[in-house]
């Protein structure tokens, strides 16, 4: 674990229009590392969904991407309202996003399901009123 | 067909064409960004009516060949500049999404 490469990002919660900057940046970074395109696609999509969630629901947060030999780990931490019922939030189509977000093409209740779909493992810890921490992992071994 | 060849055909107008040599390999139609991001293929021409700035990030992440705003939709303020900056081809079509896709299908 000594040679883990770590990228850190602040996700700005004020500016919905710039959401995605961290994911686009991590895509570039992973490409520079010469990782397979499909891995890069999965990591950056999962991260983008997480980033959008933090902007919509939590007023921003922090993202950290750790690239190890066998896996890439994405950790997203926010101090937003938390998720009352994680099982419900994981259901495709369940959303608490406001109408103005829906009109932008988001808020269809696909964020968390997509994050799970594009990663090999996903762990959500959330406390109402305190915030949410999500750790996702994409395996690099076949 | 490259994105520039598509523009030169006159079927669409270019709002931003920073990567005109990009080859169009397929077509994807969709407006729900989470859906598009997961399903549009690398090299697809992505046809949508969504015109806000988030389409730039989605096109980058999905690695589409170009965005085509169909039905005469115009990009929101600043989106063209961002597309140019982010190396995203942004095209405009007066046709419907369906007719744009059919037109492309006959030529790809």
């Amino acid at each position: 674990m000594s040679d883990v490469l770590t990228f850190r990002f602040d996700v700005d919660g004020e500016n919905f229009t710039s959401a995605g900057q961290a994911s686009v940046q991590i895509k570039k970074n992973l490409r520079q590392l010469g990782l397979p395109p499909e891995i890069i696609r999965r990591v950056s999509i999962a991260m983008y969904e997480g980033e959008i969630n933090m902007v919509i629901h939590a007023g921003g947060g922090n993202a950290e991407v750790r690239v190890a030999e066998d896996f890439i780990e994405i950790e997203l931490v926010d101090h937003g309202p938390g998720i009352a019922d994680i099982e419900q939030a994981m259901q495709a189509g369940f959303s608490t996003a406001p109408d103005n977000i829906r009109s932008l093409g988001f808020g269809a209740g696909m964020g968390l399901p997509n994050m799970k779909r594009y990663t090999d493992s996903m762990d959500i810890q959330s406390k109402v009123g305190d915030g949410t921490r999500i750790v996702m992992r994409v395996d690099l071994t076949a | 067909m490259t994105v520039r060849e598509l523009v030169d055909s006159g079927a669409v107008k270019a709002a931003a064409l920073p990567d005109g040599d990009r080859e169009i390999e397929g077509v994807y139609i969709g407006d729900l960004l989470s859906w598009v991001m997961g399903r549009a293929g690398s090299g697809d021409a992505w046809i949508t009516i969504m015109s806000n700035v988030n389409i730039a990030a989605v096109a980058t992440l999905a690695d589409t060949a170009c965005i085509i705003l169909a039905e005469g939709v115009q990009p929101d303020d600043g989106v063209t500049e961002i597309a140019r900056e982010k190396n995203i081809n942004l095209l405009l079509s007066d046709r419907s999404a369906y007719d744009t896709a059919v037109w492309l299908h006959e030529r790809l």
Side-chain angles (χ1 to χ4, degrees), chain B residues 13-91:
Chain B
K13 288 192 195 80
L17 193 63
D19 187 19
D21 294 332
R22 185 76 193 268
E23 192 72 26
I24 298 172
E25 291 161 34
V27 177
Y28 191 85
I29 306 177
D31 303 317
L32 196 52
L33 301 186
S34 286
W35 194 275
V36 172
M37 195 165 35
R39 287 167 173 81
S42 175
D44 279 354
W46 169 31
I47 302 172
T48 184
I49 54 164
M50 275 292 161
S51 56
N52 66 73
V53 69
N54 299 296
I55 59 175
V58 170
T60 301
L61 294 172
D63 194 31
T64 57
C66 60
I67 303 170
I68 304 177
L69 295 186
E71 323 266 0
V73 168
Q74 294 294 313
D76 292 3
D77 284 349
V79 173
T80 301
E81 290 72 21
I82 287 171
R84 211 170 281 136
E85 207 174 285
K86 307 273 180 200
N87 208 38
I88 296 162
N89 298 313
L90 178 62
L91 315 179

